[in-house]
Amino acid sequence: MKVDTSLLEPILKDSHKVALIGHFNPDGDSVGSVVGMHHYLSHRGIDSVMVLPSEYPGSLEFLNPSKEEEKIIVYKPDSKAAARAIASCDTIICLDFNSFSRTECLEPMIRKSKAAKVLIDHHLSPDTGSFDVAISKTDISSACELLFWTLMSLPDIDGNVKKLPMPCANALYVGMMTDTNNFSNSCFPSTFSMASLLLKRGINKNKLQEKVLQCYTVPRTRLMGHLVKEKLIYFRSLHATCMTLNNKEKAAYRFKPGDSEGFVNLPLAVKSVRISGLFTENRDGKYVRVSLRSKGNTDVNMLARKYFNGGGHKNAAGGRLYIPLEDVPQYFKNSVREYLSEGKK
Ligand code: 5GP
Ligand code: MN
């Protein structure tokens, strides 16, 4: 796949310090794309700093560069370093999100900055007007895949995967692997081409898989069992399920960021289930984090936009609710019912 990099290349050529920004609640695609770009730029001799608005899952820590001065800056708790990084850069590259609002507390700093702004993203409805260059494509697995094809199209790499630095190749594979749920959704022919080229480059696919997908604790596995056995509500006529996770349960099962990764997919293994929702109480109890998944043509992006203050992709979306967690199952049921009935009109 060829990506038009004619606007990006001059910006990179002129950059001395780049800030690479991921989204709030960063996932594998967010961390992978930020880290992957960092290694590409380092290899090219361009200084860059990685900034994430909030903590990322511990399973991705191995992607964080070992050198202290290269480490990812997380706004909470390192707000001063994050602000400095954004204020002192000449280019900002936003990866894996479609509007500044997804960076939460970083948004005002990014908006205020005079730096050149670049978007590399695969979400629907990107806010392209806010960027000097927007590389946006939605029929692709992940931001990491889009970044992969973008880097492959830049003049210095020129389609030769062997020229991609190895830590960049690893990070991009991890992001693509997590966003496709290990090749089970959002895969395109280009996704397998990317995987094939990265294998040629020499990545150790099994090792990366083990590090990211087989890295959990026993309490996390027990929490998964608890949710499925005790908390799963099946709305038979709606072909939908919902699970809620509160802070008491999190404490009881020694919950860490990233531990609920994959839980929302579990009910989709049931033949009749088309929509699955996981609702997690935020740490300070201020809101409920929403995670939605669907099968086939059932669109949870629109569901998230209309009823859950969020968005995402057709089969994977998220958002927030500002109601008590106990009220969520009823709210979910009513929302899905209304949403599906509107579709039938
Ligand atoms: P997850 O359920 O894994 O947190 O998120 C699934 C998808 O929904 C991701 O593509 C993510 O970018 C998107 N998403 C998650 N939370 C939000 C949100 O609060 N707002 C928007 N617009 N998208 C979200
Ligand atoms: Mn993504």
Side-chain angles (χ1 to χ4, degrees):
M1 181 193 300
K2 193 85 185 143
V3 175
D4 181 2
T5 58
S6 58
L7 297 175
L8 175 64
E9 176 60 18
I11 290 187
L12 293 182
K13 254 190 181 155
D14 276 350
S15 297
H16 298 286
K17 179 110 188 210
V18 180
L20 302 167
I21 316 278
H23 61 73
F24 194 81
N25 274 331
D27 56 3
D29 198 25
S30 182
V31 177
S33 53
V34 163
V35 172
M37 192 62 175
H38 166 74
H39 287 296
Y40 164 76
L41 292 172
S42 295
H43 184 71
R44 213 178 136 162
I46 301 171
D47 203 9
S48 73
V49 54
M50 301 180 275
V51 183
L52 297 176
S54 63
E55 228 178 330
Y56 54 89
S59 58
L60 302 170
E61 182 54 36
F62 77 99
L63 291 176
N64 201 0
S66 46
K67 282 190 200 151
E68 205 48 47
E69 66 275 16
E70 279 187 49
K71 288 220 178 281
I72 298 172
I73 297 170
V74 179
Y75 180 79
K76 277 181 193 153
D78 221 349
S79 57
K80 282 196 180 135
R84 261 198 314 275
I86 294 172
S88 65
C89 69
D90 49 29
T91 302
I92 291 176
I93 304 183
C94 296
L95 296 134
D96 194 32
F97 60 89
N98 53 3
S99 91
F100 293 143
S101 62
R102 295 278 290 125
T103 67
E104 305 256 328
C105 34
L106 301 181
E107 181 175 2
M109 296 177 238
I110 299 174
R111 285 201 185 277
K112 209 174 116 194
S113 166
K114 298 268 188 295
K117 291 174 190 140
V118 176
L119 175 73
I120 301 179
D121 179 52
H122 70 128
H123 289 90
L124 300 155
S125 323
D127 179 16
T128 48
S130 296
F131 295 89
D132 298 287
V133 177
I135 297 180
S136 158
K137 189 170 162 56
T138 54
D139 51 344
I140 196 159
S141 66
S142 52
C144 278
E145 186 189 331
L146 183 55
L147 178 58
F148 172 80
W149 294 114
T150 302
L151 299 181
M152 290 287 279
S153 304
L154 284 169
D156 61 331
I157 303 291
D158 194 26
N160 183 356
V161 76
K162 298 261 157 124
K163 290 187 181 169
L164 271 192
M166 207 53 213
C168 168
N170 283 330
L172 297 184
Y173 187 84
V174 165
M176 178 271 282
M177 177 183 83
T178 52
D179 250 28
T180 60
N181 197 8
N182 212 8
F183 297 93
S184 82
N185 53 261
S186 337
C187 284
F188 293 80
S190 61
T191 314
F192 290 96
S193 302
M194 168 190 179
S196 166
L197 286 166
L198 287 177
L199 286 170
K200 263 191 212 153
R201 174 67 187 89
I203 62 150
N204 187 336
K205 166 192 164 294
N206 292 348
K207 199 172 103 192
L208 293 173
Q209 210 165 284
E210 194 179 322
K211 281 194 181 211
V212 181
L213 304 174
Q214 297 171 324
C215 60
Y216 295 111
T217 59
V218 170
R220 185 263 184 187
T221 302
R222 293 198 196 283
L223 173 61
M224 184 160 75
H226 164 73
L227 289 183
V228 169
K229 184 158 185 288
E230 308 292 342
K231 304 297 294 286
L232 189 138
I233 305 173
Y234 176 37
F235 302 109
R236 189 183 298 271
S237 63
L238 301 175
H239 304 281
T241 62
C242 111
M243 294 186 282
T244 55
L245 170 59
N246 63 39
N247 281 329
K248 252 194 189 157
E249 290 162 320
K250 284 199 218 169
Y253 292 92
R254 286 177 258 155
F255 185 88
K256 292 188 297 304
D259 270 3
S260 57
E261 208 56 52
F263 287 1
V264 67
N265 293 314
L266 296 170
L268 292 181
V270 179
K271 190 174 181 183
S272 60
V273 172
R274 311 295 303 168
I275 299 178
S276 163
L278 173 69
F279 301 89
T280 310
E281 190 177 18
N282 164 248
R283 202 183 296 176
D284 52 22
K286 283 196 180 140
Y287 62 87
V288 175
R289 190 175 159 200
V290 178
S291 229
L292 300 166
R293 297 292 184 272
S294 64
K295 280 184 205 159
N297 276 334
T298 307
D299 182 346
V300 283
N301 169 52
M302 283 315 292
L303 181 68
R305 279 171 181 259
K306 270 185 108 163
Y307 299 94
F308 297 97
N309 308 299
H313 309 281
K314 188 172 166 192
N315 296 131
R320 277 180 192 192
L321 274 180
Y322 301 90
I323 61 173
L325 191 68
E326 310 81 71
D327 297 346
V328 167
Q330 190 62 43
Y331 179 84
F332 173 75
K333 184 181 173 187
N334 293 343
S335 309
V336 173
R337 184 188 285 138
E338 193 176 291
Y339 179 69
L340 294 178
S341 71
E342 275 175 7
K344 286 192 192 108
K345 272 179 206 160

